Amino acid sequence: MINKQDLINRFISYVTIDTESDPNSDTTPSSYKQWDLAKKLAEELKAMGMTDVTIDEHAYIMATLPSNVDHDVPVIGFIAHFDTTPDFTGKNVNPQIIENYDGGDILLNQEQNIVLSPDYFDDLKQYKGQTIITTDGTTLLGADDKAGITEIMEAMKYMLAHPEIKHGAIRVGFTPDEEIGRGAHKFDVEKFGAQWAYTMDGSQIGELEYENFNAAGALVTIEGKIVHPGYAKGKMVNSMYIATDYINSLPRLETPEHTEDREGFFHLYNIEGGVDSTRLQYIIRDHDKGHFEARKEMMIKLANELNSQLEKDLISVAIKDQYYNMREKVAPVMHIVDIAEEAMKTLDIVPLIKPIRGGTDGSQLSYMGLPCPNIFAGGHNFHGRYEYVPVESMMRAVEVIVKIAEITAQRK
């Protein structure tokens, strides 16, 4: 039986450590404060009795739960990331524990009148009667992905305490900088030594995912010309007006707020500029590789068309691929998805097999030779003040990890 209070205490101890990653840094980890949790995790792994515990110069953590069977079993892994997104502050996280949730509104912050309501976030309704951990309305929570870390740690602790549960060698990996797309960049797949792994980085209970977006980032730069506005006729070129034309020329309904399931999008997430120069930062996402390539081509073609109309090359587009759809690498080894699905069904959890509208470390790891589907960690509303996680979902995730280990050992 998973100890509920131990799990809560562990989770709280992790989310109250600020580990926000920094996309403007070129170091790994991108923020020095990520070391605070990394070092804590390495020490906890050693203290609980895990072997081969290592933490390298980039804060990647690996450890082993040794096999306790006398036959050959594939080495499998479980992976989670300890950084939090720079999109919303993760500093001074003050979690609130709502026991026996009554199904109604949750007042996160009385002073600022911030309310987590099932009228808006209807997923809340399925957790009536459970224990929910929320923010205080001023920060994110960090369940993405400290819930995943908590679940892996609790699963390893449980199996160490219960040797009657038979399993092969289990590898554990914790990574920095996943939230800025670099979590797998310096992950040593050969050193990890697993035949396959699972990221514990999904959302609601039951999620099981083995396909995700193809992803790219795009920087659109528009050059203008600034002169005194009183003498600007025929001379000033206002880059912000050109930027507006560029923005409005992309398909307006192909944005995150208008798409779902496998539908791709263009997402303008940052604008910086003035008359003289404007920078637009986009992410491009699509599950279909052909559509993904077409989106990138559309952005470049649009710049060329506007430059032609302006009769000057004022717009440039730089696009960099970030990760690809893991389905291509997981499909040939679908038994690893089948094992996770069997584990959930054995535990009376309904598997929700669907595409990820995002990416995980597993996206890149799959292309690095480590097939890596994604399993629920339990959290909702990631990257913002309305983030929450039901404790019971985290406990079920721990059970899934243990059951996957058991099933893998039984398949000779």
Side-chain angles (χ1 to χ4, degrees):
M1 190 72 178
I2 308 303
N3 188 295
K4 182 176 182 179
Q5 192 58 53
D6 285 354
L7 182 145
I8 292 172
N9 292 344
R10 185 185 296 278
F11 178 68
I12 297 297
S13 76
Y14 295 162
V15 299
T16 49
I17 298 174
D18 180 11
T19 57
E20 183 179 316
S21 48
D22 180 3
N24 298 313
S25 168
D26 58 5
T27 64
T28 305
S30 62
S31 56
Y32 190 80
K33 56 192 174 184
Q34 290 183 61
W35 280 105
D36 294 338
L37 182 51
K39 292 175 181 177
K40 175 180 172 67
L41 292 171
E43 290 304 313
E44 288 184 354
L45 286 164
K46 292 175 185 176
M48 72 168 60
M50 297 287 282
T51 65
D52 304 322
V53 179
T54 62
I55 179 168
D56 69 14
E57 68 271 25
H58 300 298
Y60 287 79
I61 303 163
M62 296 182 185
T64 303
L65 176 67
S67 172
N68 64 1
V69 297
D70 58 6
H71 59 275
D72 290 337
V73 176
V75 178
I76 64 173
F78 294 93
I79 297 170
H81 65 90
F82 49 77
D83 68 312
T84 60
T85 181
D87 294 346
F88 198 76
T89 183
K91 186 177 182 180
N92 298 323
V93 173
N94 180 32
Q96 300 187 97
I97 300 173
I98 313 299
E99 296 183 351
N100 193 24
Y101 170 56
D102 65 7
D105 288 355
I106 299 174
L107 182 62
L108 299 179
N109 190 293
Q110 185 169 1
E111 182 179 340
Q112 300 182 38
N113 193 31
I114 299 171
V115 177
L116 176 62
S117 175
D119 292 338
Y120 193 86
F121 299 107
D122 57 4
D123 284 333
L124 269 169
K125 297 172 184 175
Q126 64 185 304
Y127 303 116
K128 185 176 180 179
Q130 298 189 21
T131 300
I132 296 176
I133 302 178
T134 73
T135 75
D136 68 356
T138 63
T139 72
L140 51 67
L141 180 60
D144 180 11
D145 188 25
K146 293 169 184 175
I149 291 176
T150 300
E151 291 150 8
I152 293 170
M153 295 290 277
E154 285 294 310
M156 295 306 107
K157 184 183 79 171
Y158 188 82
M159 284 190 280
L160 282 164
H162 294 273
E164 71 276 9
I165 298 172
K166 300 305 178 184
H167 57 80
I170 310 291
R171 290 286 276 164
V172 167
F174 299 137
T175 69
D177 294 337
E178 190 269 355
E179 295 292 359
I180 55 174
R182 302 184 210 159
H185 284 191
K186 296 181 180 179
F187 189 97
D188 191 334
V189 169
E190 184 176 355
K191 175 184 174 183
F192 194 60
Q195 291 190 27
W196 72 83
Y198 303 91
T199 48
M200 302 299 298
D201 196 14
S203 184
Q204 76 179 79
I205 185 169
E207 282 189 1
L208 173 58
E209 301 148 327
Y210 63 92
E211 53 181 309
N212 59 277
F213 278 137
N214 296 290
L219 174 63
V220 182
T221 304
I222 302 100
E223 300 299 336
K225 186 171 290 185
I226 188 166
V227 297
H228 190 290
Y231 306 92
K233 186 173 182 180
K235 299 181 179 67
M236 179 184 287
V237 178
N238 192 324
S239 72
M240 292 182 288
Y241 292 146
I242 300 171
T244 301
D245 290 339
Y246 188 93
I247 294 167
N248 289 335
S249 295
L250 287 172
R252 182 63 188 90
L253 296 182
E254 295 181 22
T255 56
E257 62 269 35
H258 294 103
T259 53
E260 61 184 352
D261 298 327
R262 289 180 174 82
E263 296 171 338
F265 57 74
F266 303 94
H267 176 42
L268 175 63
Y269 69 91
N270 186 263
I271 301 176
E272 295 177 354
V275 173
D276 204 41
S277 180
T278 298
R279 289 159 48 98
L280 310 176
Q281 290 180 282
Y282 282 88
I283 60 172
I284 307 165
R285 299 290 188 265
D286 212 297
H287 281 89
D288 182 273
K289 190 66 180 292
H291 294 169
F292 175 61
E293 296 299 330
R295 289 185 184 282
K296 294 189 288 183
E297 291 172 10
M298 180 185 294
M299 293 193 72
I300 294 170
K301 183 179 179 182
L302 174 57
N304 292 337
E305 289 175 350
L306 290 174
N307 282 334
S308 179
Q309 294 172 21
L310 294 164
E311 299 182 345
K312 294 178 182 178
D313 289 337
L314 301 180
I315 308 171
S316 62
V317 181
I319 298 177
K320 184 177 181 179
D321 286 355
Q322 296 168 325
Y323 53 82
Y324 303 107
N325 191 340
M326 74 171 87
R327 179 179 182 137
E328 180 179 330
K329 300 300 180 181
V330 175
V333 288
M334 276 298 290
H335 67 279
I336 71 179
V337 177
D338 296 339
I339 288 172
E341 184 176 5
E342 181 183 341
M344 291 186 193
K345 288 180 176 178
T346 302
L347 295 166
D348 294 324
I349 297 171
V350 178
L352 303 175
I353 300 176
K354 61 188 184 65
I356 308 171
R357 286 186 61 79
T360 69
D361 279 342
S363 311
Q364 297 182 51
L365 290 171
S366 293
Y367 280 84
M368 294 164 64
L370 182 66
C372 203
N374 191 46
I375 293 173
F376 72 92
H380 289 262
N381 304 339
F382 297 146
H383 298 192
R385 69 178 83 247
Y386 299 105
E387 187 181 5
Y388 71 92
V389 61
V391 174
E392 286 79 1
S393 295
M394 294 175 67
M395 295 174 68
R396 300 313 308 273
V398 175
E399 294 172 6
V400 169
I401 293 171
V402 174
K403 187 58 66 175
I404 286 173
E406 279 190 284
I407 292 171
T408 303
Q410 292 165 1
R411 293 193 173 192
K412 299 182 182 180

